[in-house]
DNA sequence: TATCAAAAGTGGTCTGACCACTTTTTAGCA
DNA sequence: TGCTAAAAAGTGGTCAGACCACTTTTGATA
């Protein structure tokens, strides 16, 4: 039947078997995987084949390996994926702009989804951000965006966003300035009230003013 | 200085060296890379290490390997990345919906960008699609969307889209039906004229009617 | 009990070997 | 000469074993 698809790529089968093993053993994020030698024995393949599969998963950021320590299911989201991709595909200065724009695509869509969904836009978390801005005068930019992406409910979009946000580094992980306070409050309040266009306008303003280019 | 970052991951250095080699040799997409044995000799590392790096790049879809044939720089975009990611992260039926929604996020943004940019929205390619619909009555859905994404100019977004489109498989790679003709013409014409909202509305209609769920 | 050295465990890498498959070369035939 | 088929070379796929560097565990000693 689909032999043509299934036949090849034994190395990909190992990846799949690894996943199955992880589910069976109920290995949680951050926990240790069996050693390469044990895996090679249990899966009935050579250690080098196991390593090829593990290296691939490592490059994707799905596992972490510690020399002499073992292999662990990734807990933190420090994916090298974007870095590697950009190393190969995006080379010039435009790359960074592309990463930023792509990240913002997902953020804008999340804001749209939340604004249009009553259950999502009336969550208490938005009010907590709003109040925090009122009292403390600042919030962590990355935290706000992450919450927005998470709430939107698209887990693949979330995955992509994490990778792009990791690429942008600390430029995103900062406290909002005094100038951004009003903009952020406008964005949050508009989102809560379901004013999609107003929320997006505030977002655009935020992204335009908050960073220097 | 940054020894801590640079010190480890010899395996990642190989990935970088591979890229350098590709640039030096000016290897184009679809062309052949040196054999594993040659690479191992030229890079001064063991063949197994070279293979670990190559397998990772293969999983990312950056290279293709043919048993007995050789290793080639990827030409077609048949990336297994999303598949592998979803295999690990997205497990239920919602996954497919997430992939589709995420793909549409990038398509909608591309339509926005094109509609708002005179140089892009007045390209002759849109008229060619319009005319083709008029005369032949149908166009390839994937071709239209790909052209839209490419034109938008965000190469990272393009890369992601290709992966997502590959995941959706042949459901996207089909000719438009009679019912879609008017919708597509509306979308294209609105985009050409810079009517962003009208173009998006047509797009939403297209995506809503064109597929069965 | 506390300390620290030895042992065991683990990932990192290299080498060599063999297999399966593809491409190239060569030898033989028409 | 020209074509075909067999042989050879090239290449990826996989495995086994060895050694190193590093971490964790163990156990003996003070």
């Amino acid at each position: 039947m689909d032999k043509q698809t299934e036949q090849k790529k034994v190395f990909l089968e190992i990846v799949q078997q690894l996943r199955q093993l992880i589910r069976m053993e109920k290995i949680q994020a951050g926990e240790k995987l069996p050693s390469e030698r044990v895996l090679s024995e249990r899966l009935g393949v050579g250690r080098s084949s196991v390593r090829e599969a593990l290296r691939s998963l490592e490059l994707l950021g799905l596992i972490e390996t510690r020399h002499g320590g073992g292999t662990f299911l990734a807990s933190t989201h420090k994916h090298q994926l974007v870095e590697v991709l950009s190393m190969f595909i995006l080379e010039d200065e435009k790359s960074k702009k592309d990463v930023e724009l792509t990240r913002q695509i997902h953020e804008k869509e999340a804001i749209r989804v939340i604004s249009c969904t009553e259950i999502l836009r009336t969550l208490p978390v938005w009010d907590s951000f709003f109040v925090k801005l009122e009292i403390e005068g600042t919030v962590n930019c990355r935290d706000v965006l992450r919450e927005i992406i998470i709430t939107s409910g698209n887990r693949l979009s979330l995955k992509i966003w994490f990778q792009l946000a990791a690429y942008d580094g600390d430029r995103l992980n900062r406290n909002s300035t005094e100038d951004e306070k009003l903009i952020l409050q406008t964005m949050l309040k508009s989102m809560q009230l379901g004013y999609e266009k107003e929320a997006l306008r505030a977002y655009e303003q935020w992204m335009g003013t908050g960073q220097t280019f």
Side-chain angles (χ1 to χ4, degrees), chain A:
Chain A
M1 291 296 182
D2 48 15
K3 274 285 179 61
Q4 197 186 14
T5 333
E6 197 173 9
Q7 179 183 16
K8 302 176 181 177
K9 305 303 168 191
V10 184
F11 134 84
L12 278 180
E13 277 183 27
I14 298 180
V15 172
Q16 197 155 0
Q17 281 181 305
L18 278 176
R19 169 180 169 256
Q20 195 173 351
L21 186 141
I22 289 171
R23 295 184 77 180
M24 297 274 284
E25 307 267 334
K26 296 193 196 310
I27 300 174
Q28 303 295 319
E31 288 181 358
K32 195 173 176 180
L33 268 64
S35 75
E36 295 179 352
R37 289 169 179 83
V38 171
L39 283 175
S40 109
E41 192 176 352
R42 285 181 53 175
L43 301 181
V45 295
R47 193 186 154 205
S48 46
S49 296
V50 170
R51 280 186 61 80
E52 290 182 10
L54 288 177
R55 276 331 106 238
S56 301
L57 295 181
E58 185 181 4
L59 196 69
L60 289 180
L62 294 171
I63 61 172
E64 289 176 359
T65 52
R66 301 172 201 162
H67 192 178
T71 308
F72 302 80
L73 253 192
S75 48
T76 60
H77 292 269
K78 276 205 166 185
H79 306 300
Q80 294 146 331
L81 168 61
V82 173
E83 192 177 346
V84 174
L85 278 180
S86 66
M87 203 165 72
F88 262 78
I89 299 156
L90 313 167
E91 294 178 352
D92 53 340
E93 190 60 27
K94 188 177 186 303
S95 334
K96 297 175 186 173
K97 194 72 183 172
D98 277 350
V99 172
E100 189 196 358
L101 287 176
T102 307
R103 202 199 73 230
Q104 292 178 3
I105 289 174
H106 288 262
E107 291 164 356
K108 280 187 285 186
E109 180 66 17
I111 290 176
R112 284 193 196 93
V113 169
I114 295 173
S115 296
C116 298
T117 314
E118 188 170 1
I119 303 176
L120 301 181
R121 65 180 169 84
T122 55
L123 286 175
V125 63
W126 312 127
D127 226 41
S128 77
F129 277 131
F130 190 91
V131 170
K132 193 174 191 300
L133 270 168
E134 194 76 57
I135 298 175
E136 301 180 23
T138 182
V139 290
N140 182 288
C141 296
R142 195 173 177 281
D143 288 346
V144 174
L145 291 172
R146 191 184 60 231
E147 197 62 34
I148 288 175
I149 297 287
I150 291 176
T151 303
S152 77
N154 187 328
R155 282 174 295 173
L156 181 56
S157 187
L158 170 66
K159 182 79 184 174
I160 294 174
W161 183 86
F162 262 117
Q163 295 169 349
L164 300 178
Y167 186 81
D168 253 349
D170 297 327
R171 208 158 54 93
L172 206 61
N173 190 21
R174 58 178 178 81
N175 284 323
S176 61
T177 65
E178 186 64 32
D179 294 335
E180 295 172 288
K181 180 182 168 184
L182 192 61
I183 298 176
L184 275 168
Q185 285 187 319
T186 303
M187 186 183 82
L188 288 168
K189 190 50 79 181
S190 303
M191 204 169 66
Q192 286 181 287
L193 296 173
Y195 300 159
E196 175 189 338
K197 286 177 181 46
E198 189 63 34
L200 281 174
R201 188 154 38 227
Y203 170 84
E204 302 268 13
Q205 198 180 349
W206 180 26
M207 288 300 148
T209 62
Q211 286 147 26
T212 51
F213 292 112

